[in-house]
Amino acid sequence: MTTPASNAAPIYPVLLCGGSGTRLWPLSRKSYPKQFVPLVGDQTLFQASALRLTGDGFADPVIVTNSDFRFIVTEQLAAIGREHSALMIEPSARNTAPAILAAALWIEAQNPDALMLVAPSDHVVPDGAAFRAAVAAGTELAQSGKMVTFGIKPTYAETGYGYIECAGALGEGAHDVARFTEKPDAETAQKMLDAGNFLWNAGIFLFSVKTVIAAFEAHASAMTTPVRDAVENALPDLGFLRLAPEPWNKLGDVSVDYAIMEKADNLAVIGFDQGWSDLGGWDAVWRELPHDDNGVALTGPATAIDCENTLLRSEDDELEVVGIGLKNVLAVAMPDAVLIADMSRAQDVKKAVTALKAKRAKQAEMFPKDHRPWGWFESLVIGNRFQVKRIVVHPGASLSLQSHHHRAEHWIVVEGTAEVTIDETVQLVTENQSVYIPLGAVHRMKNPGKLPMVLIEVQTGSYLGEDDIVRYEDIYARS
């Protein structure tokens, strides 16, 4: 068996993408985390995950995310020609167990005989066909009532992953699970590697919806009623499904491993050795990228002279990163922040984020580009009473009808055409044309064209914060 195509019941991929990891700062931040970034290729990790779980036997994915990322998810799916079966919005982060149960309950209502394949959306699996073959090898086990997890054959004594101990063989690379082990120290990790019957826990699971719901009822029964209430009382919103907040917010922060997997006796594990990484730090990114003969990996405009085992990465076409005589160093440059660290300290990058939060630096969590449902903007110049922005509006998209108490604006279109509303006047503004929006005027911009529209916005006034917006109408239902 090499594909899931022969199954009578479809497999629903469930992609979890509500995380906001800090170990890949400054490229990954709370406002725009690593799953939405093209870290090791042209596609983002989320896009690559969606494409990997596509083909015969797979339904469109169920996405579980938060409100801040909902439009990023739909935009990135559209860019690769994919749709979703459901996009579930968590009212608050509650870890993986409630998210997986909510997805299972929704899928059960569509097809009670379905299987579901739960996967994080920020992993790298270069060989998608090999991974789908591993999924196919587990489908019969899942249909028989096993909860199947996928373990990665370890290649070194990693202390940052949990481990799965394999027991008796079940055929086709599958084994019973003896136990789960939390992240070990270096000595224990080496012993596990030497033993040969331990796998890294990738957090990827395959089971029938009936089986996993029964597992929650048996091992985490206090969770089932509030999650069921949150799903049954969910509200559709612009194609999204907002889980009901009142029952959801009563839930604790619980991982699926702790809630059911470590307590269940119907587990199986399938080993996978065709390449995998959770990109849990810049050292992992370095390992996944092409290297020269000296172990140097370059991304963007970067130059290395007499360097060894080093990552140099620039995320700005106008910012050249140059390293001279570096060894075991990672350097990542963004327009607003630069990280330089010893490769062995890659896991300590999160400490930098904590330090930046303590000093209230906006770079701790905010991405230079502010992504919105209609497109994105970035600040180019900020002065005492003025700010210059570049604004990109997607084809057919529209900003809200709004006004400002403290600032006036001047818009200059540099690409495409803008449909501009100022009070009662509606006009088209084309390339090299501009328009002035007085303080207090009710206004809106729309892109009526088929290509992205780009304009330069010059703001002047006593206060230029993003909270100086009074919205009157908004097609994206933002308050």
Side-chain angles (χ1 to χ4, degrees):
M1 182 187 297
T2 58
T3 72
S6 60
N7 301 325
I11 297 176
Y12 281 82
V14 176
L15 292 177
L16 308 178
C17 61
S20 55
T22 58
R23 288 180 294 176
L24 291 178
W25 184 90
L27 187 56
S28 174
R29 308 188 196 181
K30 182 178 180 180
S31 67
Y32 203 72
K34 68 174 182 174
Q35 60 264 34
F36 301 121
V37 176
L39 272 164
V40 294
D42 295 332
Q43 296 166 343
T44 70
L45 300 180
F46 169 72
Q47 289 173 321
S49 298
L51 290 172
R52 185 164 58 248
L53 307 180
T54 298
D56 292 340
F58 287 104
D60 289 330
V62 174
I63 314 294
V64 185
T65 188
N66 62 46
S67 185
D68 291 341
F69 302 153
R70 65 195 191 281
F71 292 106
I72 299 173
V73 166
T74 54
E75 178 184 327
Q76 293 203 353
L77 282 177
I80 58 172
R82 297 285 281 123
E83 296 182 353
H84 57 75
S85 289
L87 203 163
M88 308 180 77
I89 299 175
E90 299 176 286
S92 54
R94 290 295 184 264
N95 214 317
T96 54
I100 291 170
L101 179 55
L105 293 169
W106 184 89
I107 295 169
E108 181 190 40
Q110 320 309 311
N111 186 335
D113 296 320
L115 303 180
M116 57 188 287
L117 177 67
V118 178
S121 61
D122 57 359
H123 290 184
V124 170
V125 182
D127 193 337
F131 181 74
R132 289 188 292 273
V135 172
T139 54
E140 187 173 343
L141 289 169
Q143 288 167 337
S144 71
K146 287 282 190 180
M147 293 199 296
V148 181
T149 183
F150 294 86
I152 309 303
K153 185 176 180 179
T155 53
Y156 57 95
E158 172 62 58
T159 60
Y161 300 149
Y163 284 71
I164 303 169
E165 183 178 358
C166 300
L170 295 172
E172 287 199 66
H175 292 80
D176 285 317
V177 173
R179 63 187 172 102
F180 289 88
T181 300
E182 293 298 317
K183 298 175 182 178
D185 58 30
E187 181 180 356
T188 304
Q190 186 62 52
K191 289 180 179 178
M192 291 178 175
L193 181 66
D194 295 340
N197 66 324
F198 286 85
L199 301 170
W200 289 335
N201 184 359
I204 304 172
F205 309 101
L206 175 69
F207 28 61
S208 72
V209 294
K210 291 179 180 178
T211 298
V212 72
I213 292 171
F216 276 101
E217 290 172 343
H219 305 298
S221 58
M223 189 181 300
T224 56
T225 296
V227 174
R228 190 177 293 276
D229 288 346
V231 173
E232 291 180 351
N233 294 289
L235 295 177
D237 177 12
L238 296 176
F240 311 121
L241 192 65
R242 290 186 177 272
L243 298 170
E246 184 175 352
W248 187 266
N249 291 334
K250 295 177 182 177
L251 294 161
D253 184 298
V254 185
S255 72
V256 70
D257 284 342
Y258 181 81
I260 61 172
M261 301 302 288
E262 295 176 2
K263 302 171 184 175
D265 59 5
N266 58 333
L267 302 181
V269 60
I270 291 179
F272 184 74
D273 61 358
Q274 298 301 307
W276 169 91
S277 175
D278 72 343
L279 294 186
W282 282 112
D283 53 339
V285 175
W286 169 75
R287 284 192 292 268
E288 293 296 319
L289 291 171
H291 301 76
D292 67 13
D293 293 340
N294 294 316
V296 175
L298 304 177
T299 301
T303 301
I305 300 171
D306 298 330
C307 294
E308 296 179 33
N309 300 330
T310 289
L311 169 64
L312 301 179
R313 185 180 187 113
S314 173
E315 290 295 323
D316 188 330
D317 291 339
E318 301 300 319
L319 195 160
E320 184 78 27
V321 175
V322 179
I324 302 175
L326 302 178
K327 186 175 182 179
N328 300 323
V329 169
L330 59 90
V332 182
M334 299 282 291
D336 65 335
V338 178
L339 170 70
I340 302 172
D342 188 279
M343 192 76 72
S344 67
R345 302 292 299 275
Q347 294 302 309
D348 290 334
V349 170
K350 58 187 176 182
K351 294 181 179 179
V353 177
T354 301
L356 291 173
K357 284 182 181 179
K359 62 188 291 186
R360 298 184 178 180
K362 65 180 181 180
Q363 289 92 339
E365 297 184 334
M366 299 306 298
F367 204 68
K369 289 183 179 179
D370 196 326
H371 291 263
R372 298 298 174 95
W374 42 262
W376 57 268
F377 70 84
E378 62 180 340
S379 295
L380 303 177
V381 180
I382 300 177
N384 185 35
R385 290 180 57 88
F386 74 91
Q387 179 172 203
V388 181
K389 291 181 177 179
R390 173 166 53 179
I391 299 176
V392 178
V393 183
H394 298 315
S398 173
L399 280 67
S400 61
L401 186 67
Q402 59 186 249
S403 65
H404 308 294
H405 291 304
H406 303 287
R407 70 175 185 253
E409 296 173 341
H410 191 179
W411 294 343
I412 305 100
V413 176
V414 294
E415 291 183 27
T417 299
E419 180 184 292
V420 177
T421 299
I422 304 176
D423 292 328
E424 303 300 321
T425 302
V426 179
Q427 59 184 303
L428 292 178
V429 182
T430 59
E431 290 182 10
N432 297 320
Q433 294 183 332
S434 63
V435 65
Y436 175 70
I437 299 94
L439 186 151
V442 177
H443 61 281
R444 170 162 51 199
M445 76 172 78
K446 178 180 179 180
N447 180 0
K450 298 183 181 300
L451 296 173
M453 182 266 290
V454 183
L455 62 80
I456 301 300
E457 177 182 84
V458 180
Q459 302 176 353
T460 57
S462 58
Y463 178 72
L464 306 173
E466 287 303 310
D467 54 349
D468 181 25
I469 297 177
V470 179
R471 288 194 173 97
Y472 303 97
E473 295 177 7
D474 183 35
I475 63 174
Y476 306 109
R478 294 169 294 173
S479 58

